[in-house]
Every structure is written in C-alpha cells, then in structure tokens.
Amino acid sequence: MSATLLRIHPDNPPLNRIQQAVEVIRKGGVIIYPTDTVYGIGCDIHNAKAVEKVCRIKGLNPDKANLSFICHDLSHISDYAHGITTPIYKVLKRALPGPFTFLFEASAKAPRQGGRQRKTVGIRIPDNPIVLQLVRELGNPIMSTSVREDENTLDEYVTDPDLIYEKYRSMVDLVIDGGFGNNVPSTIIDCTNDDFELIRQGAGDIEQYL
C-alpha cells in the first residue's frame, strides 16, 4: 500500500488538511512532515507500535533510539521533562520555536520506549506552521526522528518532498509536502546538568539566547 502525498501550504496551512494528517496519526499511522530544519518521520508518542515502526524505518533499536518529542509550545514540556529551572526556562522561551533539540531528564510521564523507562527526552518546538498546527490539533506531542539513512554519516538529507515520497511511500502512511526542507539538522543542547552543553552544532546558534 502506498502512502498519501498531502500538499500543504507552508505559511498558511488549511485546517482541513491538517486534520486529515491528524486522523492518520490518531489511527496509529506514521507520517513524514516538514520542520524548520530537515523533514521528520513521526507518530503519536502514546502509540508504542507506531513508535516501533518509526524505529524500524530508521533501522534503530527501540530500546536505544534517541527520538525527540515535537511540542507546539512550552506547556507540554514540564509533563515529560524534569529539571527545568527558571534560568533554563527563560532561555527556552527566547530560543523556541526554533532549530534546537533540548535534552532533559525524563519524567515518569514520558512514554516508555521499547518497554523501558527512558532516561532523557529531547524536546523540539520547530518554527514551522505546519507541524506546530499538527501537534496543536493532535493534542499531544509527536515522537520524531529525522529523515536520514544514517545519523553518523555526512550524507545530505533529502530535501525535496517528491523525492522523499518516492523513497518512503511504501514505508509510511502519509507524506506532507510543505515545500523544500533544509539539509542542516537541529542544534542539540544538553540541559540535564542545569547548563547548556552543546552536543551537536546544527542550524541554531544557542549563544545568542544565553
């Protein structure tokens, strides 16, 4: 069965198309969607089978996969993460939405991954109207990873949604075409030690928000 290709205007996403994508997620589907950096593969964070499918697509072990949570604003973050002090919160408020993934200690509410309680969570609030509206309509975060063969190689991300669709149409349920993506991933910042430790330099510069 082939995935649906759903074209959505990147600046003014029509609600009916967003709801079409939300329905796919609610039914346990896996979708590909644009962010402010690279295209992502994701599903409902509460659907363990869908999360395992995302891991299979990327060739990841569900017990060890570092998947991020995409939220639509800061209100969800305290549900899933511990240790967000006032100084850290102020930086998040300045930097988000933006091209960052912030790592925190996972709270007990954070969904288990591969049957195990996770230790950390990566939080993303991308500056992209399509995915923000998608998560808002869904009512909870999306479990997400980037569209890329191997996180450890320097091969470029696929940025053309038509090429992404051709490659993944038999593996996912829906591909959102929100225009060309970027090929630079998010900047990863570790906040687990009440500090901002740079793990991976990507599209965002955290220094300007500290």
Side-chain angles (χ1 to χ4, degrees):
M1 191 176 136
S2 188
T4 302
L5 180 63
L6 183 66
R7 300 190 194 275
I8 299 182
H9 194 284
D11 301 319
N12 299 296
L15 184 58
N16 64 329
R17 298 210 163 197
I18 293 292
Q19 287 171 336
Q20 193 179 331
V22 167
E23 273 308 298
V24 173
I25 298 170
R26 284 201 177 121
K27 289 175 180 171
V30 171
I31 73 164
I32 291 178
Y33 48 87
T35 73
D36 52 354
T37 57
V38 300
Y39 267 77
I41 305 175
C43 64
D44 191 323
I45 61 169
H46 299 299
N47 190 314
K49 282 187 178 174
V51 172
E52 283 175 16
K53 185 176 176 183
V54 169
C55 291
R56 274 201 312 276
I57 291 168
K58 285 290 295 278
L60 301 171
N61 179 341
D63 283 339
K64 298 174 182 174
N66 294 317
L67 305 182
S68 302
F69 292 8
I70 291 195
C71 305
H72 71 81
D73 61 23
L74 291 170
S75 65
H76 277 304
I77 292 182
S78 57
D79 290 341
Y80 304 110
H82 274 316
I84 303 176
T85 61
T86 301
I88 285 178
Y89 186 82
K90 285 180 177 174
V91 172
L92 296 185
K93 211 163 178 184
R94 288 195 291 270
L96 297 172
F100 298 97
T101 301
F102 290 99
L103 304 180
F104 295 99
E105 278 184 35
S107 74
K109 269 191 185 178
R112 290 171 178 266
Q113 205 163 290
R116 291 187 188 177
Q117 185 63 43
R118 59 172 69 235
K119 291 180 181 173
T120 60
V121 292
I123 301 290
R124 280 273 279 132
I125 304 178
D127 189 10
N128 178 285
I130 292 174
V131 73
L132 291 183
Q133 199 171 332
L134 196 65
V135 176
R136 193 176 292 118
E137 288 295 315
L138 181 64
N140 58 256
I142 293 172
M143 191 78 82
S144 177
T145 184
S146 58
V147 172
R148 195 178 192 175
E149 284 301 296
D150 182 355
E151 298 295 335
N152 300 313
T153 63
L154 295 175
D155 62 320
E156 289 200 343
Y157 290 85
V158 181
T159 60
D160 182 339
D162 286 323
L163 294 178
I164 292 171
Y165 177 71
E166 285 306 314
K167 184 171 184 179
Y168 290 96
R169 62 193 294 175
S170 64
M171 300 182 228
V172 301
D173 301 284
L174 177 78
V175 176
I176 294 175
D177 175 355
F180 274 79
N182 296 319
N183 62 6
V184 180
S186 64
T187 295
I188 300 177
I189 307 291
D190 188 344
C191 301
T192 55
N193 293 317
D194 201 17
D195 196 8
F196 295 93
E197 182 188 349
L198 181 66
I199 302 298
R200 178 182 74 190
Q201 182 62 57
D205 177 13
I206 195 62
E207 291 296 326
Q208 61 184 320
Y209 300 106
L210 299 180

